[in-house]
Amino acid sequence: MSERPLLSRAYHWRLHRILFLYVLGVLGFLGAMFWAEARGLSRHWIGPIFLFCTVMVYAGIGVYSRTSDAEEYFVAGRRIPPFYNGMAAAADWMSAASFISLSGALYLQGFSGAGSQPGGLAYVLGWTGGFCLVGMLIAPYLRAMNLYTVPDFFQARFGGRWPRIIAALAAITCSFTYVVAQIYGVGLSAARLTGVQFEIGIMLGLGGVLLCSFLGGMRAITWTQVAQYVVILLAFMLPVSWLAYKQLGNPLAPVVYTQQLSKIAAMEQQLLASEAEQSVLEAYRTRAQVLQAKLRDVPNVLAAERQALAEHIRELRTSSGNIGAIMAASRELASMPRDEATARERWTRELREAYERAKPLGGIPLQSQPFAGDPHGTPEEQQAYDVSRRNFLALMFCLMVGAAGLPHLLTRYYTVPSVSAARSSVAWSLFFIGLLYLSAPALAVMVKYEVMSNLVGTHFDALPNWMAQWTRVDGSLLAVEDINGDGILQFGEIRMGADLIILATPELGGMPYVVSGLVAAGGLAAALSTADGLLLTISNALVRDLYYQERQRVETFKRRILPEQRVILSKFALLLVALSAAFVAARRSADILPMVSASFSLAASAFVPAMVMGIFWRGTTRRGAVAGMLIGLSVAVYYMVAHVPGLQGVLPQALRTDRLWWDIQPISAGVFGVPAGFVATLLISWWDGRRALRLKKSGLDGC
């Protein structure tokens, strides 16, 4: 199909005009909200207004773009201009991990991390480099084949059933891991906007996802993501520019934030030498010793604690009759571990946390140190340096290679009209992503400066209200504890989750509450934009790549599924997947960043070896591709499962292990899965080639 008739100048101008009016509308809405807050609009109304207006805009785009045409539903008619596809890909890419968690990783792990923490810059470099691989190695070649899904590539290139089936199952595995993290981000942002419970926030946000992707498929998702990118950009740039202007008098945060690094380094040294901070560390060490003593005799300690608490409640009832104290003690008794196994698991977890908090600065590395340890120091310091650097490089490798294998991202480049447009689209994606990624380190540095200079040293009675509000949303996001009993908040007494930093930035910086609503709306837009693409990818894999293709093989022509029926089935599959992901996300099994990183490792191990060799080496065979996908994915999954304490029970005894391979963390399992996949693909394909050559020679000899 020719590109010119579809993407005429009039078509471009119409899109530019719509985008211009939309941006004006968003800015006008923000101006109206600032004016209303200044006039006394309650904070309790601002969040719900943001949630309602943004979700209604996305839903309106979804309704306007509704379609039952298969070409429109699966690939948006292949007529999205590169500029807009780049914008949509950027919104798809930003996700809850980039918008909500990236700044938090830079805050908590420093630039280069330490030991088990790979470091925030590994995410920035890995994700950015991944787009270069997508542009150079994958996207143009896939677009040239006029496909609908990534498993289509494996069927078209290698033939047969199994490459497609395995690719579809792998796409479902890595996309489901990814979408659970996004739904978690949706719940977090919606709960922050409205003040409702986290689980209700998930369902509110999920309604927005379904209204968009359920009705219009890829066409609706594309234009919704363009609208969401505008919200994401404003929501990220406004608070970081505000902080930069407040602290340094210049709103260009990526240019000026390095001035704060030297100040933070000086503050970190003061905290390391502070007697109050040392008392906090000593208190955590004491807590660790108590927990160790408990773990030496769990059954008796548990029974003794339970009995002591029961007697305390009886005394309160007979002596004072203080209802509040009785209820508090009863809640404490009810929250005690139910059995020995639960007690052991909880106290072990608390012991690890106490040891981590007993490290200087609460276990947070120095912001700008190159790596942990010292390459010229003692053997222990040299080992710490090697482990830290190894994990940094391993995570960067997995994120970079995983980006080249993520099905929902690669599918975005099926929507442009030509191969050259796919290349241009990748360039635009990098530009739009770079606008935000350049500001993420600046945001982390300036937030740390705010915490160190404004929060640390505050009396507990004078702490701001927003801290209590975040504690109610999720206790794992923010917790403060006066563990040394001096009544003053020390740096080591603050525990922040990575998913909190950007969402709490407006309140931390003393900005109007409208900015808090805008940032939460940005987080919601980032999570929704990625969740839309992932849900569509999973439903397409289920319906098109598994059900439809298999049925087409065995059914007669008259009983084959019509394209319209395929679209309807995909919509209902999408609904079921969304509800399943919401159920898993509501269990809060992990933070956003580890889940997203794991999905990158899975995608890299399953897809990249067979896909790259299939594109660039004609000798790659079907069996080689199948072996590469299976072995790469199996190695990555095994390495992750083997090091998750709660999942070790599903493994046979022979496969259980507590030792890390070369001290690489499980989220970087792709560093083992990708080479294993390449080696398997190469060896089996080479063996197939030799075997075919022998058969050919024997056939010739026979003639």
Side-chain angles (χ1 to χ4, degrees):
M1 184 178 290
S2 171
E3 175 179 352
R4 194 170 178 179
L6 287 177
L7 305 185
S8 62
R9 181 172 293 182
Y11 178 70
H12 278 97
W13 275 113
R14 186 167 70 87
L15 294 179
H16 294 335
R17 193 165 55 247
I18 293 172
L19 178 65
F20 178 71
L21 292 174
Y22 172 73
V23 173
L24 276 184
V26 172
L27 293 176
F29 171 75
L30 280 178
M33 291 301 293
F34 276 117
W35 176 83
E37 185 182 5
R39 292 282 179 172
L41 180 64
S42 169
R43 293 185 172 195
H44 298 296
W45 284 103
I46 292 176
I49 289 173
F50 265 99
L51 178 67
F52 177 79
C53 292
T54 53
V55 170
M56 284 302 104
V57 168
Y58 307 149
I61 295 172
V63 172
Y64 181 77
S65 307
R66 65 188 182 278
T67 180
S68 296
D69 182 82
E71 184 87 353
E72 293 286 343
Y73 187 84
F74 291 117
V75 289
R78 301 192 197 277
R79 54 193 171 87
I80 305 298
F83 176 83
Y84 292 96
N85 198 57
M87 196 180 281
D92 199 339
W93 182 252
M94 284 306 294
S95 79
S98 292
F99 186 91
I100 297 177
S101 303
L102 180 58
S103 299
L106 285 157
Y107 176 97
L108 294 173
Q109 302 178 13
F111 288 156
S112 303
S116 60
Q117 299 176 335
L121 280 184
Y123 295 97
V124 177
L125 297 175
W127 282 334
T128 308
F131 256 91
C132 298
L133 290 182
V134 170
M136 289 187 295
L137 298 182
I138 308 292
Y141 299 96
L142 294 189
R143 176 61 190 88
M145 297 173 75
N146 280 332
L147 305 172
Y148 284 92
T149 64
V150 169
D152 276 350
F153 164 80
F154 289 91
Q155 182 170 28
R157 169 63 179 82
F158 301 111
R161 300 168 57 203
W162 290 109
R164 169 178 47 80
I165 291 174
I166 295 169
L169 293 175
I172 293 168
T173 303
C174 62
S175 298
F176 191 79
T177 308
Y178 206 147
V179 80
V180 168
Q182 305 311 310
I183 299 294
Y184 178 85
V186 167
L188 204 61
S189 302
R192 183 66 189 95
L193 279 171
T194 60
V196 300
Q197 288 185 347
F198 174 75
E199 291 77 8
I200 298 175
I202 284 181
M203 300 314 295
L204 287 174
L206 205 58
V209 178
L210 295 176
L211 277 173
C212 170
S213 48
F214 186 81
L215 295 174
M218 185 59 88
R219 185 168 73 173
I221 289 173
T222 299
W223 298 120
T224 308
Q225 286 172 338
V226 170
Q228 287 166 337
Y229 180 79
V230 174
V231 177
I232 292 170
L233 186 66
L234 286 172
F236 202 90
M237 298 304 291
L238 184 57
V240 72
S241 302
W242 191 301
L243 277 182
Y245 184 77
K246 174 188 171 187
Q247 293 180 11
L248 300 163
N250 188 335
L252 298 176
V255 178
V256 299
Y257 83 96
T258 51
Q259 298 175 33
Q260 299 299 72
L261 285 174
S262 58
K263 298 176 187 173
I264 288 177
M267 289 178 175
E268 288 171 338
Q269 294 305 318
Q270 289 174 4
L271 291 173
L272 290 173
S274 164
E275 291 184 4
E277 293 291 338
Q278 293 299 323
S279 68
V280 170
L281 305 188
E282 185 58 35
Y284 278 114
R285 282 193 285 268
T286 304
R287 177 177 290 182
Q289 291 168 359
V290 171
L291 288 166
Q292 271 186 328
K294 285 183 173 183
L295 286 169
R296 281 196 285 271
D297 189 8
V298 175
N300 290 329
V301 172
L302 181 61
E305 287 192 353
R306 194 172 286 155
Q307 184 179 358
L309 202 49
E311 288 178 0
H312 178 58
I313 294 172
R314 275 196 298 273
E315 287 177 7
L316 287 173
R317 284 174 176 163
T318 55
S319 58
S320 65
N322 186 333
I323 300 298
I326 293 171
M327 291 186 66
S330 300
R331 281 196 296 271
E332 188 179 350
L333 180 62
S335 65
M336 288 190 69
R338 289 168 298 178
D339 50 36
E340 180 185 341
T342 310
R344 189 179 297 280
E345 187 276 330
R346 181 189 294 185
W347 292 342
T348 303
R349 176 165 40 85
E350 291 175 354
L351 177 65
R352 283 199 297 267
E353 184 182 332
Y355 274 128
E356 191 65 26
R357 301 295 302 277
K359 294 177 181 176
L361 299 178
I364 297 178
L366 300 177
Q367 184 64 41
S368 51
Q369 71 176 4
F371 293 104
D374 183 356
H376 307 294
T378 64
E380 291 77 16
E381 291 174 334
Q382 291 180 19
Q383 185 185 10
Y385 179 83
D386 287 339
V387 170
S388 177
R389 188 175 58 169
R390 209 177 296 154
N391 274 287
F392 183 93
L393 295 174
L395 181 63
M396 197 172 73
F397 170 82
C398 292
L399 298 178
M400 193 177 292
V401 180
L406 281 176
H408 77 286
L409 181 66
L410 297 178
T411 310
R412 275 246 57 91
Y413 298 100
Y414 292 171
T415 62
V416 292
S418 66
V419 174
S420 63
R423 293 186 189 277
S424 302
S425 183
V426 173
W428 278 115
S429 303
L430 268 173
F431 170 76
F432 289 121
I433 292 169
L435 289 179
L436 276 73
Y437 275 9
L438 287 175
S439 299
L443 181 66
V445 167
M446 287 187 285
V447 166
K448 186 169 278 189
Y449 181 81
E450 287 288 327
V451 170
M452 288 180 165
S453 56
N454 294 334
L455 277 186
V456 174
T458 305
H459 199 279
F460 268 81
D461 295 337
L463 289 178
N465 291 331
W466 61 265
M467 298 183 76
Q469 292 170 357
W470 273 110
T471 304
R472 283 197 295 273
V473 172
D474 189 340
S476 64
L477 289 176
L478 177 63
V480 293
E481 181 182 12
D482 187 14
I483 193 167
N484 64 350
D486 64 352
I488 305 295
L489 182 65
Q490 311 298 338
F491 189 77
E493 293 174 330
I494 309 172
R495 188 183 62 190
M496 284 185 171
D499 303 337
L500 172 78
I501 302 301
I502 176 67
L503 296 176
T505 294
E507 289 143 322
L508 195 60
M511 303 174 203
Y513 192 73
V514 169
V515 183
S516 298
L518 176 63
V519 170
L524 184 67
L528 288 177
S529 61
T530 309
D532 283 332
L534 289 164
L535 290 173
L536 190 65
T537 298
I538 297 172
S539 65
N540 287 348
L542 286 170
V543 174
R544 176 183 165 76
D545 300 319
L546 292 179
Y547 177 71
Y548 169 70
Q549 296 284 6
E550 286 300 299
R551 180 163 171 167
Q552 195 177 32
R553 291 180 62 252
V554 297
E555 297 291 351
T556 62
F557 177 77
K558 290 183 179 178
R559 296 182 61 188
R560 284 181 182 173
I561 303 174
L562 298 174
E564 293 78 11
Q565 292 174 316
R566 249 189 301 154
V567 171
I568 293 171
L569 283 174
S570 293
K571 290 180 177 181
F572 282 101
L574 188 147
L575 180 63
L576 290 177
V577 173
L579 293 175
S580 305
F583 173 76
V584 177
R587 299 177 67 84
R588 312 184 199 204
S589 52
D591 291 337
I592 294 173
L593 216 47
M595 279 194 283
V596 170
S597 302
S599 69
F600 273 73
S601 279
L602 294 174
S605 305
F607 291 115
V608 172
M611 187 181 289
V612 171
M613 293 188 72
I615 291 173
F616 294 102
W617 183 36
R618 293 172 63 88
T620 309
T621 65
R622 181 192 312 169
R623 277 185 287 199
V626 168
M629 285 193 286
L630 283 178
I631 292 177
L633 186 61
S634 301
V635 170
V637 170
Y638 165 72
Y639 193 69
M640 288 181 190
V641 172
H643 294 96
V644 176
L647 297 178
Q648 283 195 341
V650 303
L651 289 176
Q653 185 65 38
L655 296 178
R656 296 180 190 177
T657 178
D658 294 328
R659 299 191 61 182
L660 297 172
W661 298 349
W662 291 281
D663 294 314
I664 301 294
Q665 293 299 310
I667 60 170
S668 303
V671 81
F672 305 114
V674 171
F678 269 116
V679 170
T681 307
L682 180 66
L683 290 180
I684 299 297
S685 298
W686 175 79
W687 181 79
D688 267 350
R690 300 279 296 178
R691 179 170 166 271
L693 191 60
R694 281 199 304 273
L695 289 174
K696 185 178 179 181
K697 283 183 178 178
S698 63
L700 289 175
D701 290 343
C703 293

